């Protein structure tokens, strides 16, 4: 069995992995090595991995059950794989710092993103480490945030005015909103495997800190959103066709840079469900 070649990309997060063919079933050794690398580096990159949706879903399913997105279109024969195609769907909600589907009671553990069609230039994605951001906070701010909870709202990134413009889209949006009412998660999350603490608020879905006044919540969230995405906590990936990124959604945020219009960009994502966030 070949050993994976793991190359760290920054001190905060990120590593490139070679020595594995994701289109094929994983050995137990490779599966465990990838999981350990994910815990350590938080986002992993694999070059030159042409895969079909079924292969992508199989790889993602090694790490947990898969989510079917309530809004984005998916591959008909593989509904766990959603399609982010700028020629079909308004994906501007990806051009904001966000953690995927934190509007769920059990937000995603991770996601596997495959680059299918890329613009000639632009279209990079950035990731930020919530662990690095938390650890850089002063002790008084950490104490303030411990025990606080925040509301996460589906409609912040999927507003009615953008996703309810046809009778079919409106019915889909209303069903998604009904199934995903606003809910609360801890502001500081403890990783269920590593035990490390991370900031767990994001501009895409977090609307308020519940225990604070509106003015206090707005000020603290503004600070946290800016702090969490400082350059030293981030990594930027320049995509090549058939690249794959696999990230730990429990402790990261990401931002798809919308700097390539009117060119087209097509990505496919399989999302791995996680568990209920907690703090201890």
């Amino acid at each position: 069995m070949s050993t994976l070649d793991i190359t760290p990309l920054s001190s905060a997060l990120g590593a490139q992995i070679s020595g594995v063919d994701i289109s094929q079933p994983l050995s137990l050794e490779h599966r465990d090595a990838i999981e350990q690398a994910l815990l350590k580096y938080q986002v992993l990159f694999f070059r030159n991995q042409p895969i079909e949706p079924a292969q992508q879903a199989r790889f993602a399913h090694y790490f947990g059950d898969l989510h079917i997105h309530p809004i984005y279109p998916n591959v008909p024969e593989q509904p766990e794989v959603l399609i982010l195609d700028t020629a079909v769907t308004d994906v501007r909600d990806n051009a904001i710092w966000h953690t995927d589907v934190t509007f769920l009671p059990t937000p995603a553990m991770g996601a596997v993103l495959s680059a299918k069609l890329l613009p000639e230039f632009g279209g990079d994605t950035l990731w930020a480490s919530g662990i690095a951001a938390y650890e850089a906070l002063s002790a008084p701010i950490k104490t303030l945030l411990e025990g606080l909870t925040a509301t996460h709202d589906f409609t912040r990134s999927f507003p009615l005015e953008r996703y309810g413009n046809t009778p079919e889209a409106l019915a889909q949006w209303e069903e998604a909103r009904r199934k995903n009412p606003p809910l609360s998660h801890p502001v500081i999350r403890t990783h269920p495997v590593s035990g490390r603490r991370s900031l767990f608020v994001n501009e895409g879905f977090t609307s308020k800190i519940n225990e604070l006044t509106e003015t206090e919540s707005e000020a603290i969230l503004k600070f946290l959103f800016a702090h969490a995405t400082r350059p030293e906590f981030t990594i930027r990936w320049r995509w090549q066709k058939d690249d794959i990124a696999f990230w730990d959604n429990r402790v990261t945020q990401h931002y798809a840079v919308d700097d390539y219009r009117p060119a087209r960009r097509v990505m496919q994502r399989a999302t791995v469900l996680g568990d209920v966030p907690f703090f201890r």
Side-chain angles (χ1 to χ4, degrees):
M1 180 61 60
S2 62
T3 301
L4 299 183
D5 183 12
I6 302 175
T7 304
L9 300 176
S10 80
S11 60
L13 76 169
Q16 186 172 335
I17 293 186
S18 59
V20 62
D21 182 355
I22 288 176
S23 71
Q24 299 302 310
L26 289 183
S27 67
L28 181 60
E29 291 82 2
H30 277 173
R31 186 258 181 218
D32 289 347
I34 290 171
E35 184 173 48
Q36 290 305 308
L38 186 70
L39 291 174
K40 183 174 182 179
Y41 297 108
Q42 302 166 59
V43 57
L44 308 176
F45 302 101
F46 305 80
R47 293 282 197 198
N48 191 27
Q49 296 282 344
I51 57 172
E52 298 298 322
Q55 296 167 331
Q56 184 174 359
R58 180 181 62 201
F59 174 80
H61 190 59
Y62 282 113
F63 304 95
D65 293 331
L66 303 186
H67 175 245
I68 297 177
H69 200 277
I71 294 293
Y72 286 134
N74 53 31
V75 176
E77 65 275 16
Q78 198 71 53
E80 305 92 342
V81 177
L82 64 84
I83 303 169
L84 299 169
D85 183 346
T86 57
V88 176
T89 306
D90 182 352
V91 296
R92 79 183 78 166
D93 53 283
N94 285 270
I96 186 174
W97 282 104
H98 65 285
T99 301
D100 287 335
V101 296
T102 60
F103 56 81
L104 295 177
T106 55
M109 165 269 176
V112 178
L113 187 65
S114 176
K116 297 301 184 183
L117 179 67
L118 297 171
E120 182 180 354
F121 56 84
D124 297 354
T125 303
L126 296 91
W127 280 264
S129 169
I131 292 174
Y134 170 77
E135 292 178 350
L137 291 171
S138 67
I141 292 295
K142 289 178 181 176
T143 299
L144 170 67
L145 298 177
E146 290 179 4
L148 296 181
T149 63
T151 296
H152 294 246
D153 191 342
F154 158 83
T155 65
R156 277 180 65 88
S157 281
F158 298 98
L160 175 61
E161 59 268 24
R162 283 172 48 210
Y163 289 93
N165 294 324
T166 67
E168 295 80 8
L170 177 60
Q172 182 184 29
W173 183 88
E174 289 179 335
E175 178 69 4
R177 183 185 61 172
R178 183 186 67 80
K179 290 183 176 179
N180 299 282
L183 48 68
S184 295
H185 296 306
V187 171
I188 304 299
R189 178 178 186 173
T190 302
H191 195 290
V193 181
S194 71
R196 300 181 73 182
R197 292 177 175 179
S198 168
L199 283 180
F200 197 64
V201 294
N202 70 93
E203 193 172 357
F205 294 113
T206 307
S207 59
K208 64 179 180 179
I209 297 178
N210 301 316
E211 294 80 8
L212 304 181
T213 67
E214 181 178 352
T215 302
E216 292 168 340
S217 171
E218 183 178 356
I220 295 295
L221 283 178
K222 183 178 180 180
F223 161 71
L224 292 177
F225 293 157
H227 172 79
T229 56
R230 282 166 48 183
E232 57 266 40
F233 307 146
T234 70
I235 190 167
R236 182 169 182 148
W237 185 251
R238 178 166 293 179
W239 293 97
Q240 297 177 12
K241 187 178 184 299
D242 295 323
D243 280 357
I244 286 178
F246 179 25
W247 65 92
D248 191 333
N249 196 68
R250 297 165 292 196
V251 292
T252 61
Q253 303 184 48
H254 54 283
Y255 186 117
V257 183
D258 192 0
D259 60 351
Y260 51 87
R261 308 295 179 143
R264 186 181 179 191
R265 181 177 184 266
V266 181
M267 314 290 279
Q268 293 183 352
R269 190 182 86 201
T271 306
V272 184
L273 285 171
D275 46 19
V276 177
F278 65 90
F279 170 80
R280 66 171 178 234

